[in-house]
Every structure is written in structure tokens, then in C-alpha cells.
Amino acid sequence: MPYFDAASTAPLHPVARQALLAALDDGWADPARLHREGRRARLLLDAAREAAAEAVGCRPDELVFTSSGTRALHTGLAGSLAGRRRTGRHLVVSSVEHSAVLHGAELHEAQGGTVTEVPVDRTGAVRAQAFGESLRADTALACLQSANHEVGTVQPVEEVAAVCRAAGVPLLVDAAQSLAWGPVPGAWSLLAASAHKWGGPPGVGLLAVRKGVRFAPEGPRDERESGRAAGYENVPAIVAAAASLRAVRSEAAAQGPRLRELTDRIRTRVPELVPDVQVVGDPVRRLPHLLTFSCLYVDGEALLHELDRAGFSVSSGSSCTSSTLTPSHVLVAMGVLSEGNVRVSLPPGTREEDVERFLAVLPRAVAAVRERLGAPDSPAAPSRQGSLVVDTLGRLCPVPVIELAKVIDGVPVGGTVTVLSDDEAARLDIPAWCAMRGQEYVGEEPADRGRAYVVRRLT
Amino acid sequence: MPYFDAASTAPLHPVARQALLAALDDGWADPARLHREGRRARLLLDAAREAAAEAVGCRPDELVFTSSGTRALHTGLAGSLAGRRRTGRHLVVSSVEHSAVLHGAELHEAQGGTVTEVPVDRTGAVRAQAFGESLRADTALACLQSANHEVGTVQPVEEVAAVCRAAGVPLLVDAAQSLAWGPVPGAWSLLAASAHKWGGPPGVGLLAVRKGVRFAPEGPRDERESGRAAGYENVPAIVAAAASLRAVRSEAAAQGPRLRELTDRIRTRVPELVPDVQVVGDPVRRLPHLLTFSCLYVDGEALLHELDRAGFSVSSGSSCTSSTLTPSHVLVAMGVLSEGNVRVSLPPGTREEDVERFLAVLPRAVAAVRERLGAPDSPAAPSRQGSLVVDTLGRLCPVPVIELAKVIDGVPVGGTVTVLSDDEAARLDIPAWCAMRGQEYVGEEPADRGRAYVVRRLT
């Protein structure tokens, strides 16, 4: 059954599985011990570090293994901020970083630091110049992902790294989504990644800290991993992670163009096959295996279940999907439609016929969800009223947009529809709907409950 | 080849290996995702949590999986101390806790907290009364291991838990060494453990926090594991950890008495077979699989290598072994000999003939090291001097004790030998030698370099 959610977790690479099994036999003991089992584990750990460092493009003594990518980011953030505390407590992040970085920034702010979020354009990319302008004399650290995990847009890391270097600010790069495809270019200072994103086993992250970068590890001291990752080393998983990173790298030249062709096909065909769809993210400067689109009048979770029943595993950045009931902060930062959002991320080896089958299944799946939700398909009866108020309080996305679409033709051109909504996603999806439909988004106002979103009919 | 270092890492249990392989097939995906692969991983994770909670003796929603036992201890300490900050910043630990706890305590002190270390007796056990007397109105947390990791002594956790409960202080139990043998008795509040100690894979720790215990997780927020263990869950390893915990528990009734008989045999026979040996730890209230002894005039690392060449993997708490050049804090706290220290910890299934072979090999191994180090075997020529000074500055254990032993017979009864040493271990090993030899340890004084240890000849 086709699994199109590689950006969450890539299926275990056969090389990872093989290396894991071998290392469970040979590298299960404590690498800190002096007996032969310990020495064997130490040798395997050292070899894995060398292989991973080569793939990252750093020295082996600059790289430590952590228990996850999240842990690598948390450690990188905390260690840099503590190490550069004398310089200041200002942190710069892009607004579309992974939540591990943004939550780290949130904690830094709660502890008295200051944070600047650099905005992105509608494709999800920062501009190096804007990034540079956010750097200050008291900036301790800047963070930028190599590529976005939800929309696939590749960030201008090399330019941003140059700007940071010129300002004397270390740059921490979250390379979780891109490391499988190649080393991160440019003069970055710290780099974090996660093995289960490249087909390695879970339980392994990596953190590279270039020599000369100030770094003060936080938490209780611990002798393992140069004092930067407390706790017993997971040698078998580390061995498997390093082996699979080498393997995916050697396959990248063949897999990259293949998957790019398949994702290009989906990007082109989906808007042809499904009405009212917005494909988001940069069409060119993007990861080869990942694309995202949003569907008007669709509940992302319902669509995900519909596709799951049809045999396709994808994920969604819609608010309706997440446990927090807020839409993906990435889509919010880009200012694009969040409802009915679907992220398709193809693992290496994805078959063309599965992609074709997905394209065949998708229109029916979207139509089924729209029908269940009562999405508008015909214009409403005309009304003589110059304005209408639609109360969708207590109802989640995509209902506010559906109700808006149902009544818009009921007001004369020039008239307004006011949608009352207490769903956070409405703030994003109502303006996005207006842009897609050529209607005017007038703005939002506070209401007794929730907010009032005002739309003027133009067509 | 016999591996007698199960207390560092137990060999992977066959059930763990089997469960890991199965879960790599079925539980490799992200359990936070809604597609079928994600739901399968979630089901496996939930089942593992239930199994582990049953073995621990807590509710599933009280238990989270961490990336290591060290991480579980760090999280337990930090979360409790933060959660009870209003009560005060006083922390109580035993002096023989694992370094993960003691380093956590060290950090707490560096951050302005206060720490009381409860001493142990010569067997390595705390007394519940002394533990209780260290609790104060501002005590936020107390920590006690269920059993010591270096000498195997079982702590009076049930009594200490009762004393803590009466004082309204939560007790964090480090159950790393004992969880394989059974649940920790008593009204503890938090419990931490590590899967690779019970034959599970590396990369999994567990932390139980009883309902009602104040707990404020530290670090950036994260939705996984109830917000108490940031980062992607390592589902396959967690499944393997839970499965192997059940397996070792079901085998404990058979393995426990078998290993206890074997370790009893080593405890009894070693002092018969090897001269000048001190077996340490409680002979009765102890873990079934672990024992420790120290050998006079022996360098622990050299003995470990000698045994390794003979095919036996053990570990050592001697200062000569560790990278820090300080003797095991556990042996220091107990006030017993640290030189030539050997920890033997038998994995389940250890064969009787391997233990017999170990006992046959050990005397030769000790003798070889003693010979190389020039340990005394005959009395020194008598001297008319009433006192002697032996300069061992710059020389590591066991040299100071060897030089002392060589010259003691050279002074008349009533005369003194002063040993100059800058090795930390001398502070422990010279008094221990005096106790073993029936000589009087007069005390230590500062010297130009290092310390001067004064011994009076009595026999």
C-alpha cells in the first residue's frame, strides 16, 4: 500500500535494517567499557561518527549523536544561547521553522530572552536581506531550516549563512528534511538532523557544532558524546543511521530527479483534476519528494481518512487535523489557504503507477468530503439585502468558508457578508478564499464571541 | 566467551530482538499520524506502555518513555524540583546514587539550590532514620536508588518511602539495577529505569510520575509523551523494551536464586583463592547477580585487561580505570578499599562452569598484576629508624599502598610510615589497607605537594 508520508518518517532503509541487526550482535555493549565487547562497540561508534561527519561535511569531533532531531535542535539552541550569553540574548528564527525550534524560542523568551521571527514570502522562503536586517549587536544565534518540512521550499541557507558570518552571528541549520539529498552548503555554524527522516531508525539525531563556535551544554554534566548528549549511546541505532545516510546519499542522484518528476506531475495535475485547489510552496526551489496543496470546503482530517480508506497515507497541516485546533504555523506564515491541506511526501522508490492511482482517487475523495460537508455547488438565491451576517460560531473549518461561499451570491455586487467565527483557521482561510474567488477581504473585527470577518462581493 | 558485566549493559534478550524486528515492520511510522501506519505504531506504543506500567506497578498514564535511564533521571529531578519550587529548593540524595543523579544534584546546587547527601554504612546502605532526619520543611525532593549499581546492596526503599511520605516529600527511586527482578515496593512518587539494563535495547528509559505528584517539565514544550519526553518516540525500541521486561520478570523466579548461588560462591571463594582481597557490599540484602571485591596492590585497569585476555569481561570502580582518575564515589562513600576493584555482574543464563573457570583464572590474573607492580611478598629489612617517609608523588594507585606495605616492617612496632601521595585514591586505600592489616591509620596532613598519610605500625 502506497505510503506518501516520508517527511514524517521515511520507511526504514534496507541498509539500516541490515546494519542495525549486525550492530545488535557486535555493538550492543557499553562503548565506555574497556572489555572486548565495549571496545567493539566503541570502534563501531567511531566509524559511524566518521561516516556521518563526512556526509554532513564536518569533522568527526564536531559531531555528536543525540536521541532525536528534536533533542539535537533543543541542545543546539540551548548550548549556543548559553555559550553566547555575554554577547546578548537575542535569537533570530524564521517564522516557518519546525515546532522544536519555535518552542525552543518560546522558552527562551519566557526566560527573559528576545526573539525575532523573520517572515517568509508566499512560497515559504525567507529573504537573505530581511534575515540579515533582523541581526543585531546582541544577537546570540540565528536559526534557519535548510528546507521547509510542510511545503518543501528550500531556504537560501548559503546566502543567509554568509550574512550571519558577516555579522558574527552563528547560524544553526535544521537540516532534518534535506540531509538525505546532500550536504547543506555555506558557512553554517551548527547543524541538526534526524535519522528517521532519511530511512534510518528512530532514536538517533545528530548535532554538529563547528570548532570555534561558542557552546555551553545545558543540563547535568555527562561524559558521553563530548558532554553534549547525556545518556547511554544507542550504538546499534547510530550505526544503522550512519550506514543508511551513506546509502541514501549514494542513491540521491538517481532518486532525486525521479521523485521530482513525480511531484511535479502531482503539482500540475491536482489543480486540473480537482476544482478549488491551491498548490502551495515554491514550484522550483523545493525538495524533490514533497508537495503540499489545500482544497477549499474540505476538512483536512476527513480528506486524510478518505485517502487512507483508498489506501494512501498522507499527512495534513489543516487545523481540523491537529490536536491543537490551530492551523499549521507554516501555512499561516505563508498566508495561504489551510483548509483541506494535504502534504504528499514520496519515499525513495515510489512507483509511478501509485502516483497515477493517487491522482485517480483524489478527485473522488475530495468530492465525497465536500458533499458530506454540504459545500456549495450552486449560487444561493438572490437577496435584496445589501449585507448578510453568517453565524458559524462553534463550528470548525472548513464550515465558515463553506457558509460564506453559500451566501455570497445572495448579496448584490458591492454588498458585504460578515462571517462570525471562533475558529482560528478562519483568519487564514477567509482571506485565502477571497483571493481565490476574486472577492474583496475587507478585514476582521472583534465580536461578542470570536471575530467578525467582513467580505465584499466584487463579482 | 563469558560476559560478566550485565550491570553496565545486559546482552539483548532474545524476546527483545524478536519484538524489535517485528516492531520495525509494524511500528516504524509516526504514532502521532492518523494514517494506518501511524495508527498501528500508536497501538503498539499504547500496548507497550500498558505492559511496562504493569511491571512497574503504576498506571499507564503515569508512565512515559524517555531516550535513556539518564534522561529519565534528569527529567525526574528537574521536573520535580521545578514543580515543588514553592516548597523550597532543598534536595536529598544518598551518597551512592548513580552519577546521573549526583550530577543533577550538582547542577541544582550551581543554580542556587541546596543538597544534602545522606551517608551510607560500610555495606553501602542508607538508614531510613538518617534519611528521614535529612528531610526539612523546604525539601522539594528526595532520591534513592532501589539497589546500588556498583556493589549490589539493596536500599531500604520501602522504609525510606514511608518516612518521605510522612514528611510530605516526594521520593524519586532510581530502579535501573533492580527493575528486572521485581517491582519496587513502597509508596514512591517517581521511578526511573533503563531498558538496556534488563536486556532491552538501548535508547529506552522510563519515568513514572504518580498522579498527584507536582511536576513541571523543563525544556521547550513538546506534545509527545505527555510533554515529559521531547522528541520522536522510538516505538520499535519501546516495544522491545516492554516485551523484554515482561520476559525477564517471568524468568526472575528461576534466574534470581541461580545467580544468587553463583555470586555467593564467588563472594565466598575469592577471599580463599586470592590473598588480600576485600569483598564489599551487603552479603545478604543485595541484588542476586552482582558482587564487587577489591584487591590490594592491584591496578584495577590492569586486572581488567588481564581478565579480558583470559576471556572474561568485568568492570571496575578503581580510580586507575576511570578517565577522571578519581575512585568510584560509591566505594569512597562506603569507606572501603578501591584499588584493584572488580565488579562481577552475571547476565541471566550464566553457566556454572564459566563461574568456576573465572575462579580458576582470577588468582593467576591478580598474581600477574601484583608481580608486574612489584607488590610486597616478603617483609622489608628491619630499620633502626622510628619513622620513615615514602614519596609516591606522581604515582597512581595502587603504588602508594604497595610502597607503604613494602616498608612497614622496616620500622619498629610503634613507629610510623608517612606516605606522600597526590593520588585521590590514597585517601581511601591507605586507611582500608590499615584496617585489613591491623595497623593504625593516624591521619592525613597537607604536604608541599599532595597529602601526607601517616600510618603507625602495630603488629
Side-chain angles (χ1 to χ4, degrees):
Chain A
M1 304 253 277
Y3 173 81
F4 288 176
D5 193 20
S8 286
T9 290
L12 194 67
H13 194 286
V15 163
R17 191 186 171 94
Q18 212 175 350
L20 184 64
L21 287 177
L24 283 171
D25 291 338
D26 284 339
W28 57 272
D30 185 345
R33 295 296 171 193
L34 300 172
H35 45 59
R36 63 190 177 282
E37 291 86 356
R39 296 195 305 268
R40 268 209 304 262
R42 168 64 53 192
L43 283 175
L44 289 175
L45 178 59
D46 289 347
R49 195 182 314 279
E50 277 186 34
E54 200 194 327
V56 166
C58 68
R59 288 164 34 173
D61 62 352
E62 293 174 330
L63 185 143
V64 300
F65 293 106
T66 65
S67 58
S68 68
T70 293
R71 186 64 72 183
L73 286 168
H74 289 176
T75 301
L77 273 167
S80 294
L81 290 170
R84 302 235 320 150
R85 181 140 184 182
R86 280 194 202 166
T87 302
R89 302 196 65 193
H90 180 235
L91 169 66
V92 173
V93 299
S94 92
S95 57
V96 294
E97 293 302 301
H98 189 274
S99 60
V101 170
L102 296 181
H103 291 162
E106 196 180 278
L107 179 65
H108 179 62
E109 224 163 11
Q111 291 170 341
T114 53
V115 177
T116 299
E117 275 195 15
V118 181
V120 294
D121 60 23
R122 279 183 71 85
T123 71
V126 299
R127 312 218 169 190
Q129 198 192 330
F131 205 100
E133 283 161 9
S134 71
L135 303 174
R136 313 190 313 213
D138 65 337
T139 304
L141 178 69
C143 298
L144 180 63
Q145 62 199 189
S146 53
N148 186 268
H149 51 296
E150 287 192 35
V151 301
T153 299
V154 169
Q155 301 291 355
V157 173
E158 196 164 1
E159 296 93 304
V160 168
V163 164
C164 287
R165 168 152 294 194
V169 173
L171 177 70
L172 164 59
V173 175
D174 171 7
Q177 287 298 338
S178 78
L179 202 63
W181 301 108
V184 173
W188 48 264
S189 300
L190 303 99
L191 182 146
S194 173
H196 73 98
K197 305 287 189 191
W198 70 63
V204 183
L206 60 81
L207 174 65
V209 182
R210 295 260 195 227
K211 288 286 156 207
V213 172
R214 282 189 193 279
F215 195 85
E218 291 224 306
R221 74 187 163 92
D222 191 283
E223 290 187 4
R224 308 214 178 232
E225 291 298 289
S226 312
R228 290 178 180 172
Y232 185 70
E233 294 99 336
N234 191 345
V235 175
I238 287 169
V239 168
S244 52
L245 181 54
R246 284 171 74 115
V248 296
R249 278 294 182 78
S250 72
E251 293 155 8
Q255 287 293 335
R258 264 199 77 240
L259 295 184
R260 184 173 293 276
E261 194 279 315
L262 293 175
T263 49
D264 267 335
R265 194 182 304 187
I266 302 174
R267 287 182 67 97
T268 309
R269 297 270 300 283
V270 164
E272 296 166 3
L273 294 166
V274 183
D276 298 328
V277 158
Q278 194 177 29
V279 178
V280 299
D282 194 300
V284 179
R285 281 183 56 90
R286 64 179 182 83
L287 292 168
H289 65 303
L290 195 161
L291 76 136
T292 305
F293 56 87
S294 298
C295 309
L296 262 186
Y297 316 137
V298 167
D299 164 352
E301 181 169 335
L303 179 53
L304 198 150
H305 284 306
E306 202 68 44
L307 289 168
D308 183 59
R309 266 193 294 275
F312 292 91
S313 297
V314 297
S315 84
S316 171
S318 291
S319 57
C320 348
T321 306
S322 98
S323 55
T324 56
L325 292 179
T326 53
S328 146
H329 68 273
V330 174
L331 303 178
V332 170
M334 293 164 65
V336 296
L337 184 71
S338 84
E339 66 183 36
N341 178 259
V342 169
R343 178 182 71 181
V344 174
S345 50
L346 306 179
T350 295
R351 297 180 310 170
E352 189 180 351
E353 59 256 45
D354 287 333
V355 168
E356 283 300 328
R357 212 152 53 75
F358 175 76
L359 290 170
V361 157
L362 182 69
R364 285 198 301 272
V366 172
V369 175
R370 284 180 174 160
E371 198 186 324
R372 263 208 308 284
L373 286 166
D377 51 2
S378 57
S383 150
R384 273 175 308 178
Q385 290 177 275
S387 65
L388 270 178
V389 175
V390 182
D391 180 351
T392 67
L393 290 166
R395 307 187 67 189
L396 297 177
C397 76
V399 170
V401 171
I402 289 176
E403 294 305 316
L404 164 62
K406 277 182 180 167
V407 302
I408 190 79
D409 292 333
V411 299
V413 169
T416 61
V417 176
T418 300
V419 182
L420 300 176
S421 170
D422 48 10
D423 180 3
E424 265 298 305
R427 174 169 291 147
L428 192 64
D429 292 339
I430 291 175
W433 178 89
C434 292
M436 289 171 79
R437 280 291 180 267
Q439 309 294 3
E440 180 189 347
Y441 178 63
V442 179
E444 61 167 281
E445 300 158 5
D448 280 355
R449 278 175 58 209
R451 315 278 299 172
Y453 300 90
V454 182
V455 174
R456 175 167 293 117
R457 180 176 173 194
L458 297 185
T459 63
Chain B
M1 303 253 278
Y3 173 80
F4 288 175
D5 193 20
S8 286
T9 290
L12 195 68
H13 194 287
V15 163
R17 192 188 172 92
Q18 214 175 350
L20 183 64
L21 287 178
L24 283 171
D25 291 337
D26 284 339
W28 57 272
D30 185 344
R33 296 294 170 194
L34 300 172
H35 46 59
R36 63 189 177 283
E37 292 86 355
R39 295 194 307 268
R40 268 209 305 261
R42 169 62 54 191
L43 283 174
L44 289 174
L45 179 58
D46 290 346
R49 195 184 314 279
E50 277 185 34
E54 200 193 327
V56 166
C58 68
R59 290 166 31 175
D61 61 351
E62 293 174 332
L63 186 143
V64 300
F65 294 106
T66 65
S67 58
S68 68
T70 294
R71 187 63 72 183
L73 287 169
H74 290 176
T75 303
L77 273 167
S80 296
L81 289 170
R84 301 233 324 147
R85 180 137 188 185
R86 281 194 203 166
T87 300
R89 302 197 64 194
H90 180 233
L91 169 67
V92 173
V93 299
S94 92
S95 57
V96 295
E97 293 301 302
H98 188 273
S99 59
V101 170
L102 295 182
H103 291 163
E106 195 179 280
L107 179 66
H108 180 61
E109 223 162 12
Q111 291 171 339
T114 54
V115 177
T116 300
E117 275 195 16
V118 180
V120 293
D121 61 22
R122 279 184 71 85
T123 71
V126 298
R127 311 218 171 193
Q129 198 192 330
F131 205 100
E133 283 161 7
S134 70
L135 303 174
R136 312 189 313 212
D138 66 337
T139 305
L141 179 68
C143 298
L144 180 63
Q145 62 199 189
S146 54
N148 186 268
H149 51 297
E150 287 193 32
V151 301
T153 299
V154 169
Q155 301 291 354
V157 174
E158 198 164 1
E159 297 93 304
V160 168
V163 164
C164 288
R165 169 153 293 194
V169 173
L171 177 69
L172 164 59
V173 176
D174 172 7
Q177 287 298 337
S178 78
L179 202 64
W181 301 109
V184 174
W188 48 265
S189 300
L190 302 99
L191 182 145
S194 173
H196 73 98
K197 304 288 189 189
W198 71 64
V204 183
L206 60 82
L207 174 64
V209 182
R210 294 258 193 228
K211 287 286 156 207
V213 173
R214 283 189 191 279
F215 195 87
E218 291 222 306
R221 75 189 162 90
D222 191 282
E223 289 186 5
R224 308 216 179 231
E225 292 297 290
S226 311
R228 291 178 178 172
Y232 186 69
E233 295 100 336
N234 191 344
V235 175
I238 287 169
V239 168
S244 53
L245 181 54
R246 285 172 72 116
V248 297
R249 277 294 181 78
S250 72
E251 294 155 8
Q255 288 293 335
R258 264 199 77 239
L259 295 183
R260 184 174 292 275
E261 194 279 315
L262 293 174
T263 49
D264 268 335
R265 194 184 303 190
I266 302 174
R267 286 183 67 96
T268 309
R269 298 270 301 283
V270 164
E272 296 165 4
L273 293 166
V274 182
D276 298 330
V277 158
Q278 195 176 26
V279 178
V280 298
D282 193 299
V284 178
R285 280 182 58 89
R286 64 179 184 83
L287 292 168
H289 65 303
L290 195 161
L291 76 137
T292 305
F293 56 87
S294 298
C295 308
L296 262 186
Y297 316 137
V298 166
D299 164 351
E301 180 168 336
L303 178 54
L304 198 151
H305 283 306
E306 202 68 44
L307 289 169
D308 183 59
R309 267 194 294 276
F312 291 90
S313 298
V314 297
S315 84
S316 170
S318 291
S319 57
C320 347
T321 306
S322 96
S323 55
T324 58
L325 291 179
T326 53
S328 145
H329 69 273
V330 173
L331 302 177
V332 171
M334 293 165 64
V336 296
L337 184 71
S338 83
E339 66 183 36
N341 178 259
V342 169
R343 179 182 71 180
V344 175
S345 50
L346 307 180
T350 295
R351 297 181 309 171
E352 188 179 352
E353 60 256 45
D354 286 334
V355 169
E356 282 300 328
R357 211 151 55 75
F358 176 76
L359 290 169
V361 156
L362 182 69
R364 285 198 301 273
V366 173
V369 175
R370 283 179 174 159
E371 199 187 322
R372 264 207 308 284
L373 286 167
D377 50 2
S378 56
S383 149
R384 274 175 305 179
Q385 290 177 277
S387 66
L388 270 178
V389 174
V390 183
D391 181 351
T392 66
L393 289 166
R395 306 187 67 190
L396 297 178
C397 76
V399 170
V401 171
I402 288 176
E403 294 305 316
L404 165 62
K406 276 183 179 166
V407 302
I408 189 78
D409 292 334
V411 298
V413 170
T416 60
V417 176
T418 299
V419 183
L420 300 175
S421 170
D422 48 12
D423 179 2
E424 265 298 304
R427 173 168 291 147
L428 192 64
D429 291 339
I430 290 174
W433 177 89
C434 291
M436 289 171 78
R437 280 291 181 269
Q439 309 294 3
E440 180 189 348
Y441 178 62
V442 179
E444 61 168 282
E445 300 159 4
D448 280 356
R449 277 176 57 209
R451 315 277 299 172
Y453 299 91
V454 183
V455 174
R456 175 167 291 117
R457 181 177 172 194
L458 297 185
T459 63

